[in-house]
Amino acid sequence: METERIALSQRERDRLKVLHEVKQKHLTQVAAAKRLKVTDRQVRRMLLRIRERGDGALVHGLRGQPSNRKLAARFEHKILERLRQRYADFGPTLAAEHLAKEGFLVSRETLRKWMTKAALWRPRSQRVKTVHVWRERRASFGELVMQDSSPFRWLEERGPACQLIALIDDATSRVWARFTEHDTTEENLRTFQGWLRRYGRPLAHYTDKNNIFRTARPAALPEQLRGEGARSQFGRALKELGIEWIAAHSPQAKGRIERLFETLQDRLVKEMRLAGIDSIQGANHFLEMHFLPEWEQRFTVAPRHARNAHRRLGQEHRLEEILSVRAARKVAQDHTVSWEGNRWGVSRKKSALVYGSAGGNRAAAGWFRTGCASAIAICACATVRNRPARGKSFRPTASSPYRKATIKSLQKCPAQPPMADISYGRKQDISTLR
């Protein structure tokens, strides 16, 4: 005779065990009722059902039976046909809202169950997760260089919070990095300049989609006339250097530099703690003179091809000009431009390009280029302040502060060449000063 199989829940198995103890006289009915948290009359009813129908009597009578509130099968079929016709790519929640507008009232969870059974919807637990396959390293040193920054308490509590901007070669894992106070365009350009001066121009540069590397602004008119899209200052520098820019669509795509930061946040922090580094300047010196040379000896790998894909910097690649922040300014009627809260004197042109050296004081270390003329250095002491109102005739006296920004004051700046007189009320040809 075939043994009957009964599916019991955990609660029903616990009840059956207690009732068997009562049948064997190991437990009284009152004690069993207290343990099961029912009355002793209920215990006697369950014992009677077990005696008549066996252990299966404890299974609820409605188990396996259709619910009295179940929607009709014809209605379910009609809903699914409507979904296939009009809402095939809708989710359960949105589909339930639109079906309700058509008079088909069904809850979103019921609809989710029907759509899952009909393969119109796949629950999140059944979806195939995206697998990021490991990409093979590039063949040669300089084919692809990755750049990113990492905000972290690199100096722990000994010094200020700072950023580590790093570059890593994809083929060899060779690293160049700098600590900076902020993650800005100037600091990223300055760090990239260190790589260019050491190794040359790589074929491709790999970054994320940060606004330092990609801009969302519409293209300016000169860019539209050249048939180009809008570029950030960093993107413009890569274009002028002939380096391809590749954007990562996910953190996993630039996993090599992400794993680099994970390693540095462990090793570098502890090494600087042992060395007692407590400033950004000291951290950069330790990084360049001690940590990076040791890293290169231990962790760099040999590329598959021995050739160096870096290209040499030519005479046309003036890094100080290319790796700078540029801003277009219109020359005013007094032959000055406004920049960074100061006014600077320039030659008599209609417009001017303002260059600020990356990482430095942009106003003091800046220069101007007007049209195709050569660059004209501007002294910080030559700035014009308190400009008089336009349209009024103005003749400063001999003791006026506007008289002080003249050739004599400019010649007191040994670090910068002299420029045209920008004082009001005097005219002088700029060619006499060159």
Side-chain angles (χ1 to χ4, degrees):
M1 183 177 178
E2 186 179 354
T3 305
E4 182 183 4
R5 300 180 66 87
I6 304 173
L8 299 176
S9 65
Q10 184 63 45
R11 181 170 176 267
E12 291 167 348
R13 288 197 297 268
D14 294 340
R15 281 191 171 188
L16 184 62
K17 181 180 178 182
V18 173
L19 293 175
H20 280 176
E21 292 182 7
V22 174
K23 288 175 61 177
Q24 296 172 4
K25 306 297 183 179
H26 296 162
L27 198 65
T28 64
Q29 293 181 0
V30 176
K34 289 182 179 180
R35 185 178 297 184
L36 299 178
K37 297 182 180 181
V38 295
T39 63
D40 54 336
R41 291 183 64 186
Q42 181 66 12
V43 171
R44 288 190 288 273
R45 289 193 193 99
M46 289 188 288
L47 289 172
L48 181 60
R49 290 201 299 269
I50 291 176
R51 191 179 303 118
E52 293 176 352
R53 294 181 287 169
D55 293 345
L58 290 181
V59 179
H60 199 282
L62 294 179
R63 179 176 296 177
Q65 300 296 323
S67 173
N68 294 331
R69 298 185 178 183
K70 181 180 179 181
L71 297 174
R74 292 179 57 186
F75 182 71
E76 178 183 350
H77 179 72
K78 188 176 182 179
I79 291 292
L80 292 176
E81 286 296 324
R82 187 59 176 167
L83 286 173
R84 292 188 181 97
Q85 292 174 2
R86 192 171 184 181
Y87 309 116
D89 58 342
F90 281 39
T93 302
L94 184 59
E97 294 175 2
H98 283 272
L99 289 172
K101 296 178 182 179
E102 299 182 13
F104 300 104
L105 300 178
V106 58
S107 69
R108 63 180 183 182
E109 294 305 323
T110 300
L111 189 60
R112 189 188 307 275
K113 181 177 64 176
W114 290 353
M115 294 176 67
T116 303
K117 184 173 62 174
L120 296 175
W121 176 256
R122 181 174 295 176
R124 188 181 299 273
S125 59
Q126 299 179 10
R127 298 176 191 171
V128 179
K129 295 183 178 179
T130 304
V131 179
H132 295 278
V133 182
W134 281 60
R135 175 181 54 80
E136 188 178 13
R137 289 177 179 264
R138 293 296 179 97
S140 303
F141 175 49
E143 283 192 19
L144 181 68
V145 174
M146 299 183 181
Q147 180 171 348
D148 202 359
S149 61
S150 174
F152 192 68
R153 292 295 305 189
W154 295 98
L155 302 177
E156 298 176 311
E157 302 303 325
R158 304 184 306 277
C162 56
Q163 302 259 353
L164 179 65
I165 304 177
L167 293 94
I168 183 171
D169 179 67
D170 185 68
T172 62
S173 292
R174 188 168 296 177
V175 176
W176 170 251
R178 282 181 61 255
F179 287 103
T180 63
E181 187 175 356
H182 302 290
D183 184 21
T184 61
T185 299
E186 292 89 338
E187 295 295 351
N188 276 271
L189 288 170
R190 189 176 179 184
T191 306
F192 184 48
Q193 182 178 356
W195 182 280
L196 293 174
R197 293 194 180 280
R198 281 165 178 78
Y199 307 115
R201 296 177 296 139
L203 296 181
H205 203 64
Y206 200 76
T207 69
D208 55 19
K209 296 182 180 180
N210 190 286
N211 57 7
I212 294 176
F213 309 105
R214 187 187 69 168
T215 180
R217 65 174 177 82
L221 182 58
E223 294 171 332
Q224 295 179 13
L225 294 176
R226 292 193 301 266
E228 302 174 352
R231 287 193 179 93
S232 64
Q233 297 284 351
F234 202 101
R236 186 261 315 152
L238 292 178
K239 176 68 175 178
E240 294 182 6
L241 290 170
I243 301 174
E244 179 188 2
W245 176 65
I246 303 176
H249 299 293
S250 65
Q252 293 82 358
K254 52 187 180 69
R256 199 171 308 284
I257 196 167
E258 295 289 351
R259 291 189 294 272
L260 169 68
F261 285 134
E262 185 176 355
T263 304
L264 294 181
Q265 288 172 5
D266 178 44
R267 285 177 171 268
L268 181 56
V269 169
K270 295 173 182 176
E271 292 286 350
M272 291 193 298
R273 182 197 306 163
L274 296 177
I277 306 296
D278 58 359
S279 65
I280 295 179
Q281 293 78 9
N284 280 325
H285 183 269
F286 176 81
L287 190 66
E288 182 177 356
M289 304 303 297
H290 300 281
F291 189 85
L292 291 182
E294 182 180 351
W295 175 280
E296 192 166 324
Q297 292 179 2
R298 295 189 57 187
F299 298 109
T300 54
V301 298
R304 296 199 306 273
H305 297 257
R307 73 178 186 90
N308 188 350
H310 283 95
R311 295 158 297 171
R312 301 173 65 178
L313 291 169
Q315 295 182 353
E316 69 278 8
H317 299 125
R318 298 190 297 178
L319 291 185
E320 290 296 334
E321 180 178 332
I322 295 175
L323 300 179
S324 60
V325 177
R326 301 182 183 179
R329 292 292 186 269
K330 186 176 181 180
V331 180
Q333 294 182 357
D334 57 355
H335 312 301
T336 61
V337 294
S338 176
W339 189 43
E340 298 269 336
N342 295 320
R343 299 199 64 83
W344 302 78
V346 296
S347 59
R348 303 180 182 182
K349 299 289 181 179
K350 294 183 179 179
S351 61
L353 265 181
V354 182
Y355 298 77
S357 61
N361 186 338
R362 299 194 337 189
W367 63 88
F368 299 87
R369 195 172 83 179
T370 58
C372 298
S374 58
I376 302 175
I378 305 299
C379 280
C381 63
T383 57
V384 179
R385 300 181 183 275
N386 301 325
R387 178 182 175 184
R390 289 187 178 181
K392 297 181 179 179
S393 58
F394 180 76
R395 182 74 176 181
T397 61
S399 60
S400 174
Y402 300 114
R403 284 280 192 176
K404 296 182 179 180
T406 58
I407 297 300
K408 293 182 179 180
S409 62
L410 293 175
Q411 291 175 348
K412 295 179 182 179
C413 299
Q416 301 289 349
M419 59 161 291
D421 182 10
I422 58 174
S423 62
Y424 289 90
R426 292 187 60 185
K427 295 183 180 179
Q428 187 169 348
D429 189 2
I430 195 171
S431 60
T432 61
L433 302 174
R434 295 180 179 174

